[in-house]
Every structure is written in C-alpha cells, then in structure tokens.
Amino acid sequence: MKELYHLARCWAIEPDFLSNLSNMTKEYQAGLSLLNDGQLQKTSFVKIRGDIAIISLQGIITPRMDIFTYFMGGTPLDCLARDFQTAIDDDNIKGILFDIDSPGGVAVGPAEMAEIIFKARQIKPVWSYVGRNCCSAAYWLAAATEKIIAHQSALLGSIGVVTTVPVQESPDQSGYKNIEIVSSNAKNKRPDPRTPEGINEICRELNELESQFINAVANFRDLTIDQIKNDFGQGGVLIGAKAVQIKMADMLGTYESAVAALSAEINTINDEKGVETMSEKSEMIDKNQITADFLRRECPEIVNAFIKEGFDSGEKSGIEQGQKSGMKIGADNERARLQAIEEISMPRHESLIAEARKNPDMTAEKLALQMIAAEKAQGGNFIATLKNAAAQMPAIDSGANAEVSPVRSTSATVGTPEEKAEALWKSDANVRQEFANDKEAFIAYFVAAENGQVKIHSKV
C-alpha cells in the first residue's frame, strides 16, 4: 500500500478512496447510454454520438499512464489532454461532453488541464455530465466546463486537498526499518507529522493548493471565493438538487438528456451563426467588404482551416524555436545576474545577498544600494555610540606613566578639534591606514583625545 503513495504526495480526492487505493479495480463504466456510441479515432477515452464527442473521465485521476492506471483503471491526465485536443481539432465534432464518474485524484496536474478546458469553451461548447461521483480533482475539471448536468442522486464537491504521510514505527515483515536523515538546510523536505512543526509545514502546502482549487472554481463558475468557501460543502459533498440550488451544478438530468441538451445547444448556435455560405447568397459582395473580420464572421470553418494549415506547416516549429530561444536568453540573463551579485558581495551582508539570489527582480545595482545603506546605518550607530561614550567620560589627568596620544601629539593645526582632525586625516596616510579609512571613527577619537578623554597606558 505504501508504494502507491509515492505516485503523488498531495491528492484532491475523497478521503475514503485514498485510504483504499490498493483495493481499486477497473470497475468504472460510462454513463447509462441507451445507444451504442462509436469510438473517435486516435483517442483512448472518446466516443462519438453524431457531432458530439463524449470524453470518459472515470476512476482515479493520475498524472500519466503508468502501471498503476493500466492495472487499476482511472484517467491519466496526459491521455485526457491528447484526447481532448483531438476532439477540439476535429471539424466534424461540434460539441464535447465529459462523462464523469470519479472520486478525484492527484492535486498537482488538474489545474493545468482545467485551464485547457476553460479556454476551449471559446472554440466549441464543452459540457459535463455527472451520473454518480464528481469529487475533488474531478470537480476541478468539471467546473472548467461551460455547463454541468448532474443526476439527482449524483455526488459533487469535496473541494479540498488531502495527503497521507506514512511513518514507519517498527520494522517491517522483513525485519528492516527505514530511517530518513535530511540534510541540515532541508528540514522541510521531509516534515515529521508527529511534530507540530511538521504538521504546520504539511498544512501550509495543502492550504496553498486548496487556495488554487477554490480560486479556479470561483473563476470558472463566475462566483465569489466566499461562495465557494461557505456554500460548496467545505470539503463535503452535495447531492443532485442541492448542488444545482447553490450553483455547484447547472441542471438535473440523465446521460441521454445531457447529450440531447448539448445537441440542441449546437443546433441553436448553428442557427444563430447561419449555415449559409457565401456561395449560397444571391446578392453580390463588394470585394472591399471582404475583410478578416468578415471572413471570421461569415466563414469560420474556412478561417480555422487556414489557421490550422499554417500552424501545421511552419508556425508550430517557429513557436517551439522561439520558446527554446526565450528559455536560453532567460537562463543567460539569470546566470549573469547571479554572477554580478557574487562580484559585489561584501562581508556582513550575507542575508541581503541570500535574498538577492532568490529574487529574480533584484539586480546587482539594487543590491549594492542596499548594502551601502546598511553600511551607512551601521556606521552611524557606531559613531553615535562613540560620541555618547565620550560625553559621559570624565577628563583624564595624565599620570607619570601615561603617554600622550600619538594622534594628538602630531597635530599642529590651529582650529577646532574637528578642523584639526580633518586636516590631519587629509595629510597623514598612516592615520588613515590605522583607522581603516573610517574617517568618522577617527574624528570621534581625535575629539575625545583633544578633550583629555583618552589615556594610553601601553601599546600593543
């Protein structure tokens, strides 16, 4: 059982299904179709009914086709994405219906697939039908469709993210016990669920994924985030009519009624667009009226065919080349940025430098300004401390064993102590070297010496 958890760390799935993964079999069937639907060529999960593609989304949702999916069933997202794109590209397909019966699955992956579905709604009608279960990750995908039709006994919701962290307390049947040791700077790589710190780290990750889930559903369904949080079951599931009442689904129905409703919608769309072609029109059209907008409005199929042909013949390779070139430029720029940061690095600013490496917007110039500001602040605090200490020190009478400050004794300039210190600083390189080019520290020291507040008993 524990090997199955290695397929994914976080799951958007009904908890009962997660705890019984090892017992899952290929028991999932499509909706109760009254007719024999044909198979769409070059797809794994797509059937066709007239001009409608019916995509089966059954069982546990996994990232890709693997041994787990092969033997136990379910829907791998990589296959689902290819099937969906095939249906979108097929000119004979006028609408798409997802036939859903799934408890959910992995939490990382559905977000990308849901975005693909949501954008495709601009090309063709994309609906969902739920006969039994549409939970967690499955609802994430269903919410991205234009309309959800649910059977009155269907279960929808379970919006949230769950994880199971196996902890070995005693040796296994072979007598072995695994002990994980994590490197010093990677304490959150394997958070220990037996500690409050470990629980907090695990919850942080789950909460971030849940936030993405909730925000996506709110956007897809044109609702507020508060509505999703407060009305959509708070991780629980809702049944049929209740789901429709709170706008988790759009209407009640059966598999066959969903297919019929989508077919009617397609016919309505065709009527509104008008299936009349330019050649069937009796009136003559001025060639000056034939613009790109005119063709898109009057002859969308021709325009789409041209776009597809152009993409297949060269644009695709151009886009791929542009992506590779952009990635290389980005990598080179990031490498140059990090190198520049390393070149200006200074001691005592390790935390600023570490943050700069992580922040892609932080340039070497910005970092240099931050370090200068930090140095100035540190220097100002040091000088203020010296002056405060000097003001509180009593004058010191020179004793028999005391030496006169060498800095004071070398001063022959007339003027205030500050003016003398300024002149000596400019004229004597040994003084600048002795005070490590810290002019303000030297002036503070000089003034204190002039006021008799410095007494040197011995030299190192």
Side-chain angles (χ1 to χ4, degrees):
M1 175 60 190
K2 64 178 183 295
E3 287 80 6
L4 295 179
Y5 291 121
H6 296 164
L7 293 171
R9 180 177 178 183
C10 296
W11 297 77
I13 190 171
E14 277 280 79
D16 291 343
F17 281 87
L18 181 62
S19 62
N20 293 296
L21 277 176
S22 60
N23 297 322
M24 300 303 293
T25 61
K26 290 183 177 180
E27 61 178 348
Y28 295 100
Q29 303 296 326
L32 298 181
S33 173
L34 301 180
L35 300 175
N36 292 323
D37 298 325
Q39 184 78 18
L40 183 63
Q41 294 183 354
K42 299 180 180 179
T43 65
S44 301
F45 304 101
V46 184
K47 295 184 178 182
I48 52 175
R49 173 83 68 86
D51 54 5
I52 297 175
I54 301 168
I55 301 179
S56 177
L57 201 167
Q58 313 294 327
I60 295 174
I61 299 171
T62 58
R64 62 192 61 83
M65 176 64 76
D66 51 25
I67 191 92
F68 173 77
T69 309
Y70 181 80
F71 283 108
M72 298 186 178
T75 302
L77 289 171
D78 58 344
C79 294
L80 183 66
R82 289 194 295 270
D83 283 0
F84 183 71
Q85 191 60 47
T86 300
I88 289 293
D89 293 339
D90 192 328
D91 293 335
N92 295 320
I93 300 299
K94 305 303 181 183
I96 297 173
L97 179 68
F98 281 95
D99 177 21
I100 302 175
D101 182 8
S102 169
V106 292
V108 179
E112 184 176 2
M113 185 66 219
E115 287 291 340
I116 294 172
I117 295 171
F118 184 66
K119 292 178 180 178
R121 288 163 46 173
Q122 301 176 14
I123 304 173
K124 298 177 181 180
V126 183
W127 291 16
S128 294
Y129 170 70
V130 181
R132 289 196 289 180
N133 294 296
C134 182
C135 301
S136 261
Y139 185 75
W140 198 333
L141 301 180
T145 64
E146 185 177 350
K147 185 172 292 187
I148 300 175
I149 300 176
H151 190 269
Q152 61 182 358
S153 62
L155 301 177
L156 298 90
S158 189
I159 297 176
V161 184
V162 64
T163 186
T164 297
V165 183
V167 177
Q168 188 171 21
E169 297 287 355
S170 59
D172 58 21
Q173 294 179 351
S174 301
Y176 287 95
K177 181 176 181 179
N178 297 322
I179 299 176
E180 286 190 338
I181 302 175
V182 183
S183 56
S184 300
N185 291 321
K187 62 181 180 179
N188 291 331
K189 191 176 184 66
R190 289 289 189 273
D192 189 347
R194 295 167 296 186
T195 66
E197 294 80 10
I199 290 292
N200 289 339
E201 176 60 23
I202 294 170
C203 286
R204 178 195 63 77
E205 183 177 350
L206 297 181
N207 290 339
E208 289 179 2
L209 286 171
E210 181 189 62
S211 179
Q212 291 183 18
F213 193 168
I214 291 173
N215 291 342
V217 172
N219 179 46
F220 297 154
R221 301 289 295 170
D222 195 21
L223 299 171
T224 67
I225 292 176
D226 286 339
Q227 282 178 290
I228 308 302
K229 288 183 176 180
N230 298 329
D231 301 339
F232 276 37
Q234 297 183 339
V237 294
L238 299 175
I239 300 176
K242 181 62 177 179
V244 173
Q245 179 183 343
I246 64 166
K247 299 182 180 180
M248 180 178 280
D250 297 287
M251 58 187 296
L252 296 177
T254 64
Y255 175 83
E256 289 296 339
S257 69
V259 174
L262 179 54
S263 180
E265 175 73 10
I266 293 171
N267 292 334
T268 300
I269 292 173
N270 289 336
D271 290 342
E272 290 176 352
K273 288 183 176 180
V275 295
E276 184 181 29
T277 64
M278 289 175 57
S279 61
E280 296 173 9
K281 292 185 176 181
S282 59
E283 70 272 15
M284 296 294 292
I285 299 175
D286 187 347
K287 65 179 181 180
N288 294 326
Q289 296 178 355
I290 305 176
T291 63
D293 289 338
F294 176 85
L295 290 174
R296 278 193 290 267
R297 182 179 66 253
E298 299 293 337
C299 310
E301 294 182 356
I302 296 176
V303 173
N304 289 336
F306 278 129
I307 293 173
K308 187 176 185 300
E309 181 179 350
F311 183 81
D312 292 340
S313 63
E315 289 187 23
K316 184 176 182 180
S317 61
I319 292 172
E320 292 175 349
Q321 187 63 33
Q323 289 175 338
K324 292 179 181 178
S325 177
M327 291 175 63
K328 183 178 183 303
I329 292 173
D332 291 343
N333 290 341
E334 179 64 7
R335 193 179 300 110
R337 185 185 74 86
L338 294 175
Q339 183 177 353
I341 287 175
E342 292 301 325
E343 289 175 355
I344 67 166
S345 298
M346 295 174 59
R348 304 191 308 275
H349 300 288
E350 287 77 8
S351 60
L352 280 176
I353 295 168
E355 289 298 323
R357 292 194 192 101
K358 298 177 183 178
N359 185 357
D361 296 329
M362 179 61 68
T363 63
E365 292 77 9
K366 292 179 181 179
L367 176 61
L369 291 175
Q370 290 188 4
M371 291 193 296
I372 290 172
E375 286 284 337
K376 186 174 181 180
Q378 293 174 359
N381 293 338
F382 177 69
I383 297 304
T385 302
L386 280 177
K387 289 182 177 180
N388 184 50
Q392 296 180 10
M393 290 175 60
I396 302 174
D397 295 331
S398 299
N401 298 325
E403 290 187 17
V404 178
S405 165
V407 173
R408 186 179 180 188
S409 64
T410 59
S411 176
T413 305
V414 177
T416 64
E418 289 80 2
E419 292 172 343
K420 294 178 183 180
E422 183 73 31
L424 183 59
W425 180 262
K426 293 179 179 179
S427 63
D428 196 332
N430 292 332
V431 170
R432 294 194 295 273
Q433 181 178 1
E434 181 178 355
F435 281 83
N437 287 324
D438 192 338
K439 182 178 177 181
E440 292 184 348
F442 165 71
I443 292 176
Y445 168 79
F446 187 92
V447 172
E450 286 287 298
N451 293 333
Q453 295 172 316
V454 175
K455 180 178 180 182
I456 300 176
H457 292 275
S458 62
K459 291 183 177 180
V460 179

